Structures are given as C-alpha cells and as structure tokens.
Amino acid sequence: MKRIMIVEDETAIREFEAINLKRVGYTVVEAGSGEEALEIYDSDAEGFDIALLDISMPGMDGFAVLEEMEKRHWLDTIPVIMITSENTVSAVRRAYNAGITDYISRPFDARVVYQRITNTIRMYAKQRRLSAMVADQVSQKEKRSQMMIGILSRVVERRNGESRTHV
C-alpha cells in the first residue's frame, strides 16, 4: 500500500485530502506544520511514496520544508507535489526550482489530484527500477573486467616463464 504524507496547516483541508486519498486506497500520514513533517520524516523518511505540501504555513513554510528535504537528500527519493492556493508565477517557479515534482492550485478536482499522484508514484517507481538496473549492469561490467584481467595475466604468466613472478 502506498504511503502519502500530507503537510497542511488547515485541518479541514488536510482532512478533506486525507479522506479522499484513503478512499482510493492510500495510507495517509498527516502533519499540521512543516516542523511536524520533518520530525515524522526523520523517523521514517524511506517509508513515504510521495508528499503533498502546502506553501503557506505558520512557522516553517513549504519552501523551508523543501530546503530541509533537499539538504537531507530526501527529494532524491520522495516526490513532492505542492497543493496550494498560492498561484503566482513567482511561487510556482520558486517551487519547481526548489525540487518539487508537480504543482496543483486550489481549488482542485480530487480525481485529477489522485491521477497526478498516481502518475508521479509510478514515474518514481520506474526511475528506481532503472537506477537499480544500471547499478546491476555496472557491477556486472566490473566483474567481467576483473575476470578478463585475471585471464590475461595468467596467459602472460604461462607464455613468459622468465617474467612470471613480475606479472
């Protein structure tokens, strides 16, 4: 089951988002502030498939949360979708520059949000699989190179008895 972190200071909005996402099968963890979200991530950062983040929150706003997530390299593995009523071009640009995956303005259609979340989770899952495949191929290439070096050194040792110990 996919786990989503919702970071939203307004309880009614957070609960609305959570109810809709639970209804379609997601496990939802809620945070009412940026500070609370970071505390939860500290204890379980690898356990989330995606984060929904508001910009305007008292204390630590969404941009500050993104900065911390970037410092801790969580944005490498956890996609973030900003869902906010902040609709200025500068806010959208700043959010994308800070590392978000998608930006959704309020008011929104819950079905569209669900589809964008699903698509983002799938995209990150494919990215993780591709990264694992590349790492596996690099490892196999390294093993083959080591094996080839071993074979060539044995051939040289057998052909040239005088320099055998030097090879």
Side-chain angles (χ1 to χ4, degrees):
M1 184 167 294
K2 302 297 182 190
R3 291 184 70 210
I4 296 178
M5 165 74 77
I6 298 176
V7 186
E8 168 63 60
D9 62 314
E10 293 187 42
T11 306
I13 293 172
R14 189 175 65 243
E15 288 176 355
F16 173 77
E17 291 173 358
I19 288 168
N20 284 315
L21 291 169
K22 287 176 184 177
R23 188 177 298 143
V24 293
Y26 287 109
T27 299
V28 177
V29 176
E30 301 176 42
S33 69
E35 295 86 357
E36 183 182 357
L38 293 177
E39 287 176 23
I40 293 169
Y41 280 131
D42 269 335
S43 64
D44 192 15
E46 295 299 317
F48 292 97
D49 296 290
I50 195 165
L52 306 181
L53 180 62
D54 186 22
I55 291 177
S56 302
M57 295 183 288
M60 181 178 264
D61 70 3
F63 293 117
V65 173
L66 284 171
E67 286 177 27
E68 278 301 310
M69 290 179 77
E70 177 64 28
K71 284 179 190 174
R72 300 173 190 198
H73 303 285
W74 293 340
L75 291 178
D76 297 340
T77 57
I78 303 171
V80 176
I81 296 178
M82 281 226 159
I83 299 183
T84 185
S85 56
E86 181 69 34
N87 210 7
T88 64
V89 172
S90 62
V92 174
R93 285 183 183 158
R94 184 176 174 200
Y96 277 111
N97 287 336
I100 66 162
T101 305
D102 201 356
Y103 195 98
I104 300 172
S105 297
R106 287 193 192 106
F108 56 79
D109 181 326
R111 284 172 281 169
V112 171
V113 171
Y114 164 74
Q115 192 59 55
R116 289 167 84 169
I117 290 168
T118 301
N119 290 348
T120 301
I121 290 172
R122 284 183 187 155
M123 181 182 66
Y124 268 69
K126 287 178 183 178
Q127 180 181 346
R128 283 190 288 275
R129 283 194 303 272
L130 286 173
S131 294
M133 287 172 55
V134 168
D136 186 47
Q137 289 176 353
V138 167
S139 174
Q140 288 177 9
K141 184 177 179 183
E142 180 68 25
K143 287 178 186 177
R144 285 192 291 267
S145 294
Q146 291 297 326
M147 185 176 15
M148 184 60 74
I149 290 169
I151 290 169
L152 290 174
S153 65
R154 283 189 220 112
V155 168
V156 171
E157 284 175 0
R158 289 204 173 113
R159 292 196 141 245
N160 190 347
E162 294 175 11
S163 63
R164 177 178 292 158
T165 57
H166 298 291
V167 174

